[in-house]
Amino acid sequence: KQEVTQIPAALSVPEGENLVLNCSFTDSAIYNLQWFRQDPGKGLTSLLLIQSSQREQTSGRLNASLDKSSGRSTLYIAASQPGDSATYLCAVERGGSQGNLIFGKGTKLSVKP
Amino acid sequence: NAGVTQTPKFRILKIGQSMTLQCTQDMNHNYMYWYRQDPGMGLKLIYYSVGAGITDKGEVPNGYNVSRSTTEDFPLRLELAAPSQTSVYFCASSVARGASYGYTFGSGTRLTVV
């Protein structure tokens, strides 16, 4: 059974710091891995998607890497800002499964001015 | 362009009551999904649909029913509400199979069963 774990559960950093969020999964037979942002009272916003054949994806200050063989992904946020405060969710899509994303519990990030 | 719209945003139900959570998308997406998120947990798939008239169970379907009579609408029905169904429910859609095509999520329905 695929399980997704995110560490740490919560993180508080001062503004401007670079930070790394971690995601691990137990079954390497994934179709892709996706990072989402969740703001209180709102839906999920997709940040980055990495196909199983890719190693990383970048969007602005965000960089996500994928090491399928070790079952790990990291989300790197450069020069963090208070507006980055949110919960970050990692999800893997299993091969052969119709959009069944397996989510981690998330990392709640607080960036203090 | 409204995206995915969920109603209501909040609801309190008594044990044994029934209700329908509404979900509508205006992007002509074929695929639609219902997820639930329990406090401090990740999202889990309840049901999904690959097109009008076609639905299938996800990871946690017990206690729920769905229908898909149109491309736009994908309502989720709770027949006999139980405290274990207290959760935040998210509807999502995508143009085709898989996250590669991009998921659009609604803002959620927060349901409390007392």
Side-chain angles (χ1 to χ4, degrees):
Chain A
K1 179 182 177 182
Q2 178 73 273
E3 293 183 357
V4 178
T5 303
Q6 291 187 245
I7 296 173
L11 182 63
S12 181
V13 300
E15 181 177 5
E17 194 163 295
N18 301 326
L19 57 99
V20 173
L21 307 182
N22 297 291
C23 173
S24 62
F25 47 95
T26 54
D27 186 350
S28 62
I30 64 170
Y31 190 66
N32 56 50
L33 182 143
Q34 196 163 9
W35 284 92
F36 292 89
R37 171 183 172 137
Q38 184 175 25
D39 293 285
K42 297 186 178 180
L44 280 66
T45 301
S46 178
L47 297 174
L48 290 166
L49 179 140
I50 311 176
Q51 300 286 4
S52 61
S53 59
Q54 298 175 321
R55 299 282 294 182
E56 66 177 342
Q57 283 286 334
T58 298
S59 176
R61 295 181 294 108
L62 305 180
N63 175 276
S65 67
L66 174 64
D67 184 342
K68 210 172 72 164
S69 61
S70 68
R72 294 182 180 181
S73 175
T74 61
L75 178 66
Y76 175 82
I77 302 177
S80 58
Q81 304 170 357
D84 295 330
S85 297
T87 296
Y88 291 81
L89 296 169
C90 168
V92 299
E93 185 170 19
R94 297 181 299 187
S97 180
Q98 298 286 348
N100 188 2
L101 298 179
I102 307 298
F103 283 83
K105 296 180 181 181
T107 294
K108 186 174 183 179
L109 173 65
S110 176
V111 181
K112 300 187 181 305
Chain B
N1 191 349
V4 176
T5 302
Q6 292 183 238
T7 58
K9 292 189 181 300
F10 305 93
R11 183 72 184 269
I12 298 175
L13 276 183
K14 293 184 178 180
I15 295 172
Q17 287 185 322
S18 62
M19 77 164 293
T20 299
L21 283 66
Q22 301 291 345
C23 176
T24 299
Q25 53 93 6
D26 62 358
M27 297 168 287
N28 203 33
H29 285 175
N30 287 322
Y31 287 67
M32 296 187 74
Y33 316 87
W34 275 106
Y35 285 88
R36 61 176 285 175
Q37 184 179 32
D38 298 332
M41 304 292 286
L43 283 72
K44 293 187 177 180
L45 182 66
I46 306 171
Y47 270 96
Y48 67 94
S49 169
V50 303
I54 306 171
T55 63
D56 206 347
K57 296 177 180 179
E59 186 180 0
V60 289
N62 291 343
Y64 306 95
N65 281 300
V66 294
S67 60
R68 184 94 181 270
S69 58
T70 67
T71 300
E72 295 79 19
D73 300 308
F74 190 39
L76 177 71
R77 178 88 177 158
L78 283 70
E79 292 293 348
L80 291 171
S84 61
Q85 293 177 305
T86 294
S87 190
V88 181
Y89 292 83
F90 289 100
C91 180
S93 71
S94 63
V95 67
R97 175 197 184 271
S100 306
Y101 293 91
Y103 287 87
T104 300
F105 279 82
S107 59
T109 294
R110 185 176 296 275
L111 175 66
T112 302
V113 182
V114 296

